[in-house]
Amino acid sequence: MAESIHDVQRRITSTKATRQITAAMHMVSTAKLNKIQKQAVGYQDYVSKVKAVVMHLSQSHLLDNSSSSLQSNRPVKKTAYLVITSDRGMVGSYNSSVLRDANAFIKERTPNPDDYMVLAVGGTGADFYKHRGVNVAYEYRGVSDVPEFNEVREIVKTVTTMFNNEVFDELFVCYNHFVNRISSRFRAEKMLPVDGEALSTDAANDTKTTPLTAEYDTEPSEEGVLQVVLPQYAESLVYGAILDAKTAEHASSTNAMQSATDNADDLIATLQLHYNRARQAAITTEITEITGGQEALNN
């Protein structure tokens, strides 16, 4: 019985140590989530302005005759999917969810593996596709917990260069969109080529976009403006997706660590009950033995 008590006590000690780790990680994830949410709110103001400008340019038909390489609508021979995952584990079902939905989206659009490639942001996604023999044409690891805008420039530069060199003909960004602290939703958005027609439709349907009633006078030229605005628009799409995905990642990590902490509390309570029962049984046995021995002496 003593050995049983010792084993239970050892498990309680071990579980309490694990609980301390998960509780600390929950606090860290919560702090990261609060920080990135504040940054995301500020960024939304910027991206809404950039999108409004591009929508107005599209409404004014400046994009119709543009020679910008980002608008190159050529026959689609190869499709690229920029899949955003995390670099680490302990984020609950975050990675498995985005990879499952991304695979379903890829399979639906391009059933033939020779017709697509994967651009992986995050080590989990890169390793996942490599192990399955998928063509991973580019990978980026080590995205900050609260990514800065300058981090994305390298990704955008590489992606746009590959597009201009006709390594692929269209690009979709696949990631988990942060809905709230307990849920996220998969998104797949077309990034390249920039579709002027779709932007015009979005502008017409967007009640927040002021209807265009006049033409633009551009300096130094229409092409000069587009050469600046369209890359910024592409950067805003990628950075917004990464920021959104990181927010969903931290929320998933927070929930996973909270769940692990709660499970540890439940296990400790159960083990403590077993320990108390075992201890009580041991004491009862000792008392019984003492009483029996006393009665034997008296006889």
Side-chain angles (χ1 to χ4, degrees):
M1 184 62 67
E3 184 179 359
S4 177
I5 293 176
H6 175 74
D7 289 342
V8 174
Q9 195 170 23
R10 179 175 54 79
R11 290 183 63 192
I12 291 174
T13 302
S14 175
T15 306
K16 284 182 177 179
T18 302
R19 186 202 177 282
Q20 286 182 328
I21 295 173
T22 57
M25 294 182 68
H26 173 261
M27 292 177 62
V28 172
S29 296
T30 301
K32 291 177 181 178
L33 177 59
N34 292 335
K35 186 175 181 180
I36 200 171
Q37 278 188 291
K38 290 179 182 178
Q39 183 163 330
V41 170
Y43 175 73
Q44 289 304 319
D45 295 334
Y46 166 78
V47 73
S48 62
K49 294 297 183 183
V50 172
K51 188 174 183 179
V53 169
V54 176
M55 282 181 172
H56 277 172
L57 291 175
S58 180
Q59 280 184 302
S60 65
H61 304 291
L62 290 182
L63 300 183
D64 294 349
N65 300 316
S66 170
S67 61
S68 171
S69 59
L70 298 182
Q71 284 190 273
S72 178
N73 284 295
R74 52 182 180 259
V76 178
K77 299 177 182 177
K78 182 83 74 173
T79 301
Y81 298 94
L82 182 68
V83 182
I84 304 173
T85 60
S86 72
D87 287 303
R88 59 190 179 88
M90 291 185 287
V91 289
S93 61
Y94 171 78
N95 286 317
S96 60
S97 173
V98 68
L99 289 172
R100 180 187 66 245
D101 292 335
N103 285 342
F105 179 75
I106 293 171
K107 186 176 181 180
E108 180 182 352
R109 287 193 57 85
T110 48
N112 188 351
D114 295 331
D115 293 338
Y116 71 88
M117 65 181 63
V118 170
L119 314 179
V121 176
T124 303
D127 294 338
F128 175 85
Y129 286 110
K130 281 182 177 179
H131 290 161
R132 283 157 180 77
V134 177
N135 179 17
V136 179
Y138 172 74
E139 62 178 284
Y140 186 93
R141 299 172 185 255
V143 177
S144 302
D145 289 324
V146 184
E148 298 293 333
F149 191 80
N150 286 333
E151 288 186 64
V152 177
R153 293 186 185 275
E154 179 185 340
I155 300 174
V156 175
K157 183 179 179 180
T158 302
V159 167
T160 53
T161 300
M162 294 173 71
F163 177 75
N164 293 336
N165 292 337
E166 300 188 13
V167 177
F168 56 82
D169 305 301
E170 64 177 355
L171 173 68
F172 290 87
V173 182
C174 305
Y175 64 100
N176 262 8
H177 163 62
F178 173 77
V179 177
N180 52 49
R181 294 195 171 215
I182 60 174
S183 66
S184 60
R185 182 170 59 248
F186 176 76
R187 272 188 180 177
E189 299 175 339
K190 188 174 182 178
M191 174 184 162
L192 293 174
V194 176
D195 191 340
E197 238 179 80
L199 286 170
S200 296
T201 303
D202 290 343
N205 296 332
D206 190 353
T207 57
K208 295 181 181 179
T209 303
T210 305
L212 185 66
T213 58
E215 294 184 355
Y216 277 99
D217 289 329
T218 58
E219 289 290 344
S221 66
E222 294 180 358
E223 285 300 321
V225 171
L226 293 176
Q227 290 299 327
V228 174
V229 173
L230 289 182
Q232 286 186 351
Y233 177 65
E235 288 175 352
S236 70
L237 287 179
V238 177
Y239 180 67
I242 292 176
L243 198 64
D244 199 359
K246 272 292 180 181
T247 306
E249 176 189 331
H250 292 320
S252 182
S253 177
T254 300
N255 294 333
M257 293 302 101
Q258 181 62 61
S259 177
T261 302
D262 293 342
N263 289 339
D265 286 335
D266 293 341
L267 181 57
I268 290 170
T270 301
L271 290 173
Q272 192 66 52
L273 181 61
H274 290 332
Y275 175 81
N276 292 339
R277 287 176 175 172
R279 181 67 177 160
Q280 184 179 16
I283 294 172
T284 302
T285 301
E286 290 176 3
I287 293 174
T288 302
E289 291 174 351
I290 293 172
T291 303
Q294 185 65 39
E295 289 181 356
L297 291 173
N298 291 339
N299 294 332

